[in-house]
Amino acid sequence: MELKKDSHAVSIDMLLIVHPEGQADPGAQPPRRAGLQSIGNGIRKWQKLEENDLYGTQLTVEVHPQDSMPQLLKRFSLAKRLQGDKNGNTRPRQPGGKDAHAYPWDRSSLKSMSLDVRQFEKLDTYASQVTVKSGLDELVNDLLQEAHSDLERVRAIWIWICHHIEYDIKAAQEKDRQAFKLTDILRTQKTNCDGYAGLFEKMCRIAGVQCMTVPGYSKGFGYQTGQSFSGEFDHAWNAVYLEGRWHLVDSTWGSGLVDTTTSKFTFLYNEFYFLTHPALFIEDHFPDNKNWQLLKPPQSLRQFENNMYHKSEFYNKGMLSAHPATSVIRTVNGKATITMESCAPTLFMFMLNGKQEHGLLSLRKNGMKLDIYPPTMGTHKLQIFAKGNSDIYSSVLEYTLKCNYVDLGVRLPAELHQPMGPSWFSEQMGILKPSHPDPIIHTSDGRCSITFSVEEGINVLASLHGDDDLITEETQRRYIFQLHREKRTELKVQLPRAGKFALKIFVKKRQEPGNYIFVFNYLLCCSNTKVTWPMFPESFGNWGQDNELLEPLSGVLPANRNVPFKLKLHGVAKALVKGQDTWPLTLNSEGYWEGSCSTAGCQEVYVMVLENANHNFYSYILKYKVNDQ
């Protein structure tokens, strides 16, 4: 008799597992209670027995489509793969040569495998919203509903821990640290690094993924630049086996950070510590067993202590390298120079001993250069911050500066902000083709002229700042006179004395409300002690952007003199100069308004214009002061 094939036929598989009394296969799935719930394709899901219901011989029956592989066989195979010693402890493969990555970092990727984290967006959202209902097994089961590979299983577990488990600072600071029970971690959702690592390992094993807890030293909370490590290990993290190779994760540091001033934990997810490239992981993690560095060649503890510590934000913000590559640097003739390379144009700032002073930071296309001049001898703390793609500056690097000499000739203005000089950022803000590309301008007579192109619709504002009372908030723009010629803006600058001054450049889109935005500044230097230039005349709102002043440029006129005036004014019907009396200006063939006035008997002189010939209302555009007689 020939049997007819039926595409809907099913198979019944029975797997008999016999254990000695009181011992169970550590890799086998938990026993199930009767009561079937269909989950499709003929596969049945069994309700779970409580642990104290386990006794006797187990007989598990699976009903499945004929053309599918039995899940029981898959699970039994997994159990054999994870099976360990006689006490039920699993023994995953130890790391070997094929797990090792080259050191130093080759800049190829922040990850230890080819990965685009955008592929996890849906899974991350799902995993972060899963809640604990009963025990760990059910939690893992819920997390794996949307995970379809070992990588996705590990990702779901990682995301859940990083978004739900809080670092227990109080417990971590106890001298006699007690081991956290997994049930307590789930209940309180708090633990220390040992608890994070233990929970991650247990959840991975429930999910069928090999995982190890790795103890060691770390450059974490409380780390001081240049410190040495000895005694008990202060941290723990994990190694997870994916796609035939070991990879490193740290869910403690992936979950958030501790504020060093308040000692409070804040959830702040950090992608950097998921499958981190070992050549980057070694910067702040030193394992007890050098094999878990996953590096070729491995680093010594002395190298770990002396190597430059690049924070995770260093790489998150797109940094590639920094020089010097040592955390402690010494000044040479009172100066230290730091350069950084980034993978894209980035904004930087620095703080020396908590203040943005005593340094010159200039932006480069992909990086920056910082010249720092400590104001006193001794040890100083230098922090460097980068903005990257976000709106927030983050600390990416710290140096300890050792200074044994102070150059008293290098005294920088306190108002000298960063960045220095034109760059890709000033181009982005609409300032193009500057006449002075270097951030420092030296002038022998105390005067200079700076020109640049300005994009259409952009207004420019400049102010001058020194370290004395000669330049006040009211007069800081009076030592600069702004002109516009053939789509070029000119800043004429006259210094009130010898010294160093910060010339700040601001921009604002003409049609948009709000304040001007700082773009960059120049450092103006003059060593001529005879320099005593007065302010320029004060200009009013009706002084047009395309107007031009040839004379007089000094805002203070001599008393009892006839003073010549020459200006180019656009859209004006009449112009005059008003002092004790009124003197009209005439328009010559070259388009300049010319004339003169007497300063006798007056303290102030004004230039006034009539914009419409049909009106008789004159507007003030310039104001001069007259010297006391």
Side-chain angles (χ1 to χ4, degrees), residues 98-171:
K98 71 174 185 177
D99 299 293
H101 295 253
Y103 183 88
W105 183 47
D106 60 6
R107 300 186 178 186
S108 60
S109 172
L110 301 183
K111 302 294 185 183
S112 52
M113 66 164 58
S114 180
L115 197 64
D116 183 353
V117 295
R118 291 174 295 183
Q119 74 188 69
F120 299 126
E121 288 179 357
K122 182 179 178 181
L123 177 62
D124 289 355
T125 301
Y126 168 79
S128 64
Q129 296 173 353
V130 171
T131 58
V132 179
K133 296 174 183 176
S134 59
L136 198 57
D137 291 88
E138 185 176 3
L139 172 61
V140 174
N141 185 63
D142 289 342
L143 286 170
L144 301 191
Q145 294 303 308
E146 297 294 329
H148 307 293
S149 66
D150 280 355
L151 174 59
E152 290 187 349
R153 293 181 187 99
V154 169
R155 179 70 180 192
I157 293 168
W158 155 269
I159 287 293
W160 187 88
I161 291 177
C162 288
H163 286 79
H164 289 84
I165 304 302
E166 179 180 346
Y167 189 74
D168 192 333
I169 303 171
K170 183 178 179 180

Side-chain angles (χ1 to χ4, degrees), residues 248-313:
L248 302 170
V249 300
D250 187 340
S251 56
T252 309
W253 291 6
S255 63
L257 50 82
V258 176
D259 189 314
T260 55
T261 57
T262 63
S263 293
K264 290 185 177 180
F265 174 82
T266 301
F267 278 107
L268 186 64
Y269 177 71
N270 193 341
E271 173 65 35
F272 180 77
Y273 291 105
F274 179 73
L275 308 184
T276 314
H277 194 292
L280 305 181
F281 204 76
I282 191 62
E283 294 206 17
D284 46 20
H285 292 73
F286 188 83
D288 66 332
N289 183 334
K290 67 178 182 181
N291 293 334
W292 286 116
Q293 293 182 24
L294 306 183
L295 289 176
K296 186 190 298 183
Q299 300 294 289
S300 67
L301 180 58
R302 179 62 60 87
Q303 288 174 306
F304 174 74
E305 293 170 343
N306 294 336
N307 283 348
M308 185 67 201
Y309 172 36
H310 300 109
K311 299 182 178 182
S312 61
E313 283 300 282

Side-chain angles (χ1 to χ4, degrees), residues 371-387:
D371 290 327
I372 202 83
Y373 302 88
T376 60
M377 291 188 292
T379 301
H380 304 266
K381 180 181 179 181
L382 174 64
Q383 296 170 284
I384 298 176
F385 302 81
K387 198 170 187 180

Side-chain angles (χ1 to χ4, degrees), residues 122 225 386 394 454 505 512 578:
K122 182 179 178 181
T225 302
S394 298
V454 180
I505 311 294
E512 293 185 1
K578 184 178 184 304

Side-chain angles (χ1 to χ4, degrees), residues 331-336 372-378 380 402-410:
T331 59
V332 177
N333 295 326
K335 170 186 171 182
I372 202 83
Y373 302 88
T376 60
M377 291 188 292
H380 304 266
K402 302 284 188 178
C403 179
N404 57 8
Y405 170 78
V406 176
D407 187 349
L408 298 178
V410 183

